Amino acid sequence: MTIFVTPLSAADPQAIEDLLDAAFGADRHTRTAYRIRDAMPVIGQLSFAAFESATLVGTIQCWPVAVGDAPVVLVGPVAVSPDRQRSGIGRLLMTTLIEAAPDVPMAMVGDPEYYGRFFDFTADVTGGWDVPGPVERHRLLARNAEALPRIGAIGPRAFALNEVNA
């Protein structure tokens, strides 16, 4: 079967929630990444759904946040149906995101080996960022982060995508 990617808005909201629960557990809302983006709407231009036929098999969501006063796109969750993990769907979603916004500063909580190797995310600039909850510091990652503050709180902030220093 062929996987095709669409804007996230094409997916049924309940199907998205069900996929996220299956991928991360029903307690996923307690994670620090949820606190970082608290009450923010998803960035529609940078959030995507992957379908196999009519079945939702993956999603990637992006959120408006800031480090201090600097706007940053928070990536995640990147979710793939448990029965389709390790089939390239997550990589396809990340590639779609990076192609849509190649120069935009982004942050995420994720596996540094995977996201560093394939998508140039590192923890090089995030060590001084304050987060609203526990996080393994080596998993707080950023890309295109040269102009971002090295010290500051990361949290929700509404902005237009064209405000982001690209």
Side-chain angles (χ1 to χ4, degrees), residues 5-159:
V5 176
T6 68
L8 185 68
S9 60
D12 174 64
Q14 187 57 55
I16 295 169
E17 291 300 312
D18 292 345
L19 175 68
L20 291 170
D21 284 348
F24 298 110
D27 66 341
R28 63 189 161 83
H29 296 279
T30 64
R31 295 181 179 195
T32 298
Y34 280 79
R35 293 185 205 163
I36 292 172
R37 65 177 188 251
D38 187 42
M40 289 286 92
V42 69
I43 301 172
Q45 309 98 298
L46 300 180
S47 297
F48 302 97
F51 288 89
E52 184 173 49
S53 197
T55 303
L56 180 66
V57 293
T59 63
I60 186 170
Q61 297 177 30
C62 292
W63 310 85
V65 301
V67 176
D69 291 330
V72 181
V73 171
L74 181 68
V75 179
V78 181
V80 175
S81 178
D83 63 331
R84 297 305 317 274
Q85 291 179 358
R86 301 204 184 285
S87 65
I89 295 168
R91 188 180 296 191
L92 175 63
L93 288 164
M94 282 296 298
T95 299
T96 301
L97 167 62
I98 300 298
E99 288 174 355
D103 301 319
V104 169
M106 297 179 187
M108 71 182 316
V109 178
D111 176 23
E113 185 176 309
Y114 177 79
Y115 289 104
R117 180 176 172 199
F118 295 110
F119 305 107
D120 298 322
F121 280 85
T122 73
D124 293 348
V125 302
T126 63
W129 292 3
D130 293 325
V131 295
V135 68
E136 296 176 59
R137 298 307 301 190
H138 72 283
R139 294 176 52 83
L140 183 59
L141 308 172
R143 78 181 302 275
N144 297 328
E146 298 79 18
L148 293 177
R150 299 304 189 255
I151 297 173
I154 184 170
R157 175 178 168 221
F159 61 80

